[in-house]
């Protein structure tokens, strides 16, 4: 378990540092208006991206260990993918259909509608990739999850570096880089998780069960309003700083650097939700579950206190 924690911490820490280090590159190559477009589209990506998951990403942790039967888990995973893919295609189609109106609302210009097309496809494949990574963590395959996430980020960084070197670093190519890396690793991760699932002794392949997916959706969708409210609370200030600072992004840039530094602390929350929580749920005995939860709280307070002090 501690090896998985270190892997996850390393992966999250590297991600935060990379985002921090790339901020000067973004501000160097992007003029004020372009950076504002990039920032506003990222807020849209964060908020709408949560809707794509329909709360299934959170529900997965609770329902996967509800039954140890390989047939149940196969149907659960297959039904989740089919539901997410169907709804994801619908959501992306709506974004593409209303791309001009969304472009006007998000970027204050209808001429950036092509960015919304990229965003619609990115959201779809990111949903598949992120859900697969969550599934790997639930299945306690966190090493593979970290490795794939690292490769995904590395590919994205290489593409950004290429555009920076060739002096083609702009908002369109940033999102194009994200689209390429996300699409590739969404496919790779699904291929890997498929092999992991088929290692189990599955005797009855039922690809979709509406009776199984209904309670899972009800469980997950209830969490969406709180999650969206949290994201909006974290993101609304970016809109305020961008549009109320007399058209300048100086304050927004300083704020973004400080915000990214502060987000490093949130890697502890990721450890609890991705590593410890599935471990506690896996304990069949209630006494062991209570002990596991106590251990989670103890480590959370200890590590959180040390990181916060630093």
């Amino acid at each position: 378990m501690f090896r998985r924690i270190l892997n996850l911490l390393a992966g999250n820490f590297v991600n935060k540092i990379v985002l921090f280090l790339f901020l000067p590159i973004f501000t160097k190559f992007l003029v004020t208006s372009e950076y504002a477009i990039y920032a506003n589209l990222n807020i849209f990506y964060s908020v709408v991206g949560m809707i794509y998951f329909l709360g299934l990403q959170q529900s997965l942790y609770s329902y996967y260990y509800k039954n140890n039967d390989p047939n149940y888990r196969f149907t659960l995973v297959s039904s989740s993918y089919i539901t997410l893919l169907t709804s994801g295609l619908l959501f992306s189609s709506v974004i593409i259909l209303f791309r001009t109106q969304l472009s006007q609302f998000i970027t204050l210009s209808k001429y950036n509608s092509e960015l919304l097309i990229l965003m619609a496809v990115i959201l779809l494949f990111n949903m598949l990739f992120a859900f697969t990574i969550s599934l790997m963590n639930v299945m306690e395959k966190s090493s593979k999850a970290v490795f794939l996430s690292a490769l995904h980020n590395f590919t994205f960084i290489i593409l950004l570096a290429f555009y920076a070197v060739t002096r083609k670093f702009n908002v369109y190519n940033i999102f194009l880089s994200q689209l390429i890396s996300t699409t590739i690793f969404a496919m790779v991760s699904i291929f890997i998780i498929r092999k992991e699932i088929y290692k189990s002794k599955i005797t009855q392949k039922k690809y979709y069960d509406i009776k199984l997916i209904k309670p899972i959706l009800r469980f997950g969708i209830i969490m969406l309003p709180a999650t969206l409210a949290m994201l909006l609370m974290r993101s609304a200030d970016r809109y305020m700083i961008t549009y109320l600072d007399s058209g300048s992004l100086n304050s927004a840039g300083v704020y973004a650097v400080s915000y990214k530094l502060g987000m490093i602390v949130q890697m502890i929350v990721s450890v609890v939700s991705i590593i410890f929580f599935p471990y506690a749920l896996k304990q069949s005995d209630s006494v062991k579950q209570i002990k596991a939860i106590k251990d989670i709280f103890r480590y959370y307070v200890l590590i959180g206190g040390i990181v916060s002090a630093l």
Side-chain angles (χ1 to χ4, degrees):
M1 173 179 288
F2 284 102
R3 182 180 177 183
R4 292 198 299 273
I5 293 171
L6 289 173
N7 285 337
L8 183 65
L9 277 171
N12 277 329
F13 185 74
V14 170
N15 291 347
K16 306 301 181 187
I17 292 298
V18 166
L19 289 174
F20 172 70
L21 292 177
F22 258 78
L23 185 62
I25 298 176
F26 277 62
T27 54
K28 173 180 173 60
F29 285 97
L30 302 181
V31 298
T32 302
S33 58
E34 289 177 325
Y35 192 89
I37 291 170
Y38 169 76
N40 292 341
L41 282 171
N42 264 328
I43 294 172
F44 175 80
Y45 172 82
S46 299
V47 175
V48 176
M50 290 305 303
I51 299 175
Y52 269 69
F53 289 105
L54 301 175
L56 286 178
Q57 198 175 20
Q58 294 96 326
S59 305
L60 186 65
Y61 291 103
S62 298
Y63 278 84
Y64 187 82
Y65 287 109
K66 192 175 182 179
N67 192 326
N68 293 326
D69 181 16
N71 294 320
Y72 163 83
R73 291 182 174 179
F74 176 85
T75 304
L76 170 66
V77 173
S78 177
S79 299
S80 298
Y81 271 113
I82 292 173
T83 302
L84 288 173
L85 183 59
T86 303
S87 61
L89 287 170
L90 176 62
F91 293 148
S92 290
S93 298
V94 171
I95 292 173
I96 292 173
L97 182 64
F98 294 99
R99 62 187 181 276
T100 303
Q101 293 87 340
L102 286 170
S103 176
Q104 180 66 42
F105 175 72
I106 297 169
T107 69
L108 304 181
S109 172
K110 63 181 180 179
Y111 298 109
N112 294 311
S113 58
E114 73 279 1
L115 296 176
L116 271 299
I117 297 176
L118 286 179
M119 185 62 65
V121 183
I122 292 170
L123 282 164
L124 178 64
F125 282 100
N126 178 72
M127 175 264 294
L128 293 173
F129 178 65
F131 184 78
T132 306
I133 293 299
S134 294
L135 181 58
M136 287 181 179
N137 285 311
V138 170
M139 295 172 66
E140 298 189 324
K141 305 291 181 183
S142 58
S143 294
K144 291 183 179 180
V146 170
F147 180 70
L148 284 173
S149 297
L151 280 180
H152 168 258
N153 290 323
F154 180 73
T155 303
F156 179 54
I157 291 167
I158 291 297
L159 289 170
L160 289 182
F162 168 77
Y163 285 121
V165 171
T166 56
R167 299 290 175 177
K168 295 180 180 179
F169 197 93
N170 54 48
V171 177
Y172 184 87
N173 285 333
I174 291 171
F175 287 114
L176 180 62
S177 300
Q178 189 174 351
L179 172 62
I180 293 170
S181 58
T182 302
T183 303
I184 291 172
F185 286 96
M187 296 302 180
V188 171
S189 62
I190 290 173
F191 175 77
I192 292 174
I193 203 65
R194 183 178 180 275
K195 290 181 66 177
E196 291 293 335
I197 292 171
Y198 275 94
K199 286 180 181 179
S200 305
K201 295 179 180 179
I202 303 168
T203 57
Q204 184 180 359
K205 294 180 182 178
K206 190 174 183 180
Y207 291 97
Y208 196 81
D209 188 345
I210 188 67
K211 292 182 179 178
L212 175 62
I213 207 69
K214 269 186 176 181
I216 298 174
L217 282 172
R218 283 197 297 266
F219 181 87
I221 289 175
I222 290 174
M223 300 181 183
L224 272 179
T227 305
L228 288 173
M230 180 185 67
L231 285 173
L232 287 171
M233 182 179 66
R234 291 179 178 177
S235 306
D237 50 1
R238 250 65 61 86
Y239 275 119
M240 293 171 62
I241 294 173
T242 299
Y243 291 109
L244 298 179
D245 192 27
S246 304
S248 172
L249 277 174
N250 293 329
S251 298
V254 173
Y255 179 82
V257 172
S258 303
Y259 192 84
K260 290 185 190 307
L261 281 173
M263 284 185 67
I264 296 177
V265 179
Q266 291 191 9
M267 64 186 177
I268 304 171
V269 179
S270 299
V271 171
V272 173
S273 61
I274 296 176
I275 297 293
F276 277 120
F277 189 50
Y279 169 75
L281 289 176
K282 193 177 180 181
Q283 307 304 313
S284 56
D285 190 289
S286 59
V287 176
K288 290 182 179 179
Q289 279 191 350
I290 293 172
K291 183 180 182 301
I293 292 171
K294 286 182 178 179
D295 290 340
I296 291 171
F297 182 74
R298 188 180 299 113
Y299 288 123
Y300 179 79
V301 172
L302 176 63
I303 298 173
I306 294 172
V307 175
S308 298
L310 294 175

